Amino acid sequence: MKLFTTGNPKLMKGEKKGYLSFVLHLAPADLSGKNTCPKATEGCKMACLNTAGRGGIFKKGESTNVIQQARIRKTKMFFENRGAFLMDLVRDIKAGVKQAEKQGLTPAFRLNGTSDISWEKYTIDGKNIFQMFPDVQFYDYTKIRGRKVSGIPNYHLTFSRAESNEMDARLAAADGMNVAVVFKKDLPPTYFGKTVVNGDDTDLRFLDPRGVIVGLKAKGKAKKDTSGFVV
């Protein structure tokens, strides 16, 4: 089973900066019957990019498509046959590294495209995926505070603000962690007293300066948000 996606238009913006990004999309929240987003909120479920692009195109009268079905299959495999899933993950990262090298680009991997799994907890022969590929850059968004990743130099996390985790977002920002915030209109110059940078320029969050707010414009269903997820 092929795990990664590379065709996302935002991912392709990174190629201008010399990076080829690969994203793993699992079924978000409890869509598969298994919870991949322990801190999911009603606002983020509504605005989730799971139904962006081709993932949100359904035939008349249907509520699923081949993309959604593939994400559910991958998610069930992660929970029900984790050893095999992790071996496939290793295989696909190796293939991605080779693909990037052929194109003269630097590979970067985002393991939580539509999930929020603490990948540092899962190991093969005593090593997590970041330790197995110490020269490869990984990055993610998360709503989980206190993840033990400070000793993982090749894994960059951006905290994600939602309508019901304002205090966690402020604490993360106070700790120097970058915080992603979705705005309804134009990005403000500052938020939480921190400089706001445009997070829509690329998906390469590990290139952002430290201690900033990553501003994202509301897209798709998020434009109609009333929960407070969108500022």
Side-chain angles (χ1 to χ4, degrees):
M1 185 186 302
K2 185 178 179 181
L3 297 180
F4 289 106
T5 297
T6 58
N8 184 303
K10 187 174 179 181
L11 298 183
M12 295 172 69
K13 292 180 180 180
E15 295 182 22
K16 295 180 180 180
K17 293 184 178 292
Y19 289 89
L20 182 61
S21 289
F22 299 83
V23 178
L24 171 59
H25 287 290
L26 298 180
D30 56 1
L31 186 63
S32 68
K34 307 287 187 179
N35 192 357
T36 60
C37 303
K39 297 290 185 179
T41 69
E42 290 306 310
C44 76
K45 287 180 185 179
M46 181 279 299
C48 184
L49 295 177
N50 180 53
T51 54
R54 291 178 296 172
I57 300 175
F58 305 103
K59 292 182 179 179
K60 187 176 182 180
E62 297 184 0
S63 59
T64 189
N65 56 36
V66 293
I67 293 175
Q68 296 298 326
Q69 291 165 0
R71 291 174 183 177
I72 289 173
R73 283 197 301 271
K74 286 185 282 188
T75 305
K76 288 185 174 180
M77 183 181 179
F78 171 77
F79 283 99
E80 297 170 3
N81 194 353
R82 187 160 297 152
F85 183 96
L86 292 174
M87 292 304 296
D88 282 357
L89 184 62
V90 169
R91 176 204 65 199
D92 285 1
I93 290 173
K94 288 180 178 178
V97 169
K98 289 182 179 179
Q99 180 182 341
E101 289 176 348
K102 287 181 179 179
Q103 295 181 227
L105 299 169
T106 300
F109 293 85
R110 181 176 165 192
L111 301 182
N112 284 321
T114 41
S115 57
D116 195 359
I117 291 171
S118 297
W119 291 98
E120 62 275 10
K121 295 181 178 179
Y122 304 103
T123 61
I124 299 175
D125 296 329
K127 290 185 177 181
N128 61 42
I129 202 70
F130 314 114
Q131 294 168 327
M132 294 186 71
F133 295 92
D135 298 323
V136 174
Q137 180 67 59
F138 297 86
Y139 66 105
D140 274 322
Y141 295 86
T142 187
K143 290 184 178 69
I144 305 170
R145 285 202 73 233
R147 287 179 59 181
K148 301 183 185 303
V149 298
S150 59
I152 307 178
N154 59 328
Y155 189 35
H156 183 279
L157 280 178
T158 299
F159 193 82
S160 182
R161 177 209 168 272
E163 76 278 9
S164 57
N165 71 350
E166 183 87 2
M167 182 55 68
D168 280 346
R170 288 182 178 275
L171 289 172
D175 288 341
M177 192 174 185
N178 290 357
V179 177
V181 180
V182 181
F183 294 97
K184 190 169 186 177
K185 297 182 179 180
D186 294 338
L187 304 183
T190 62
Y191 194 76
F192 290 168
K194 305 279 186 177
T195 299
V196 175
V197 300
N198 189 344
D200 288 321
D201 284 343
T202 75
D203 195 55
L204 306 174
R205 298 279 67 83
F206 54 91
L207 296 183
D208 294 332
R210 179 178 168 83
V212 299
I213 300 299
V214 179
L216 302 167
K217 291 291 291 294
K219 305 170 188 67
K221 293 180 180 179
K223 292 180 179 179
K224 299 180 181 180
D225 174 72
T226 58
S227 70
F229 176 78
V230 176
V231 176

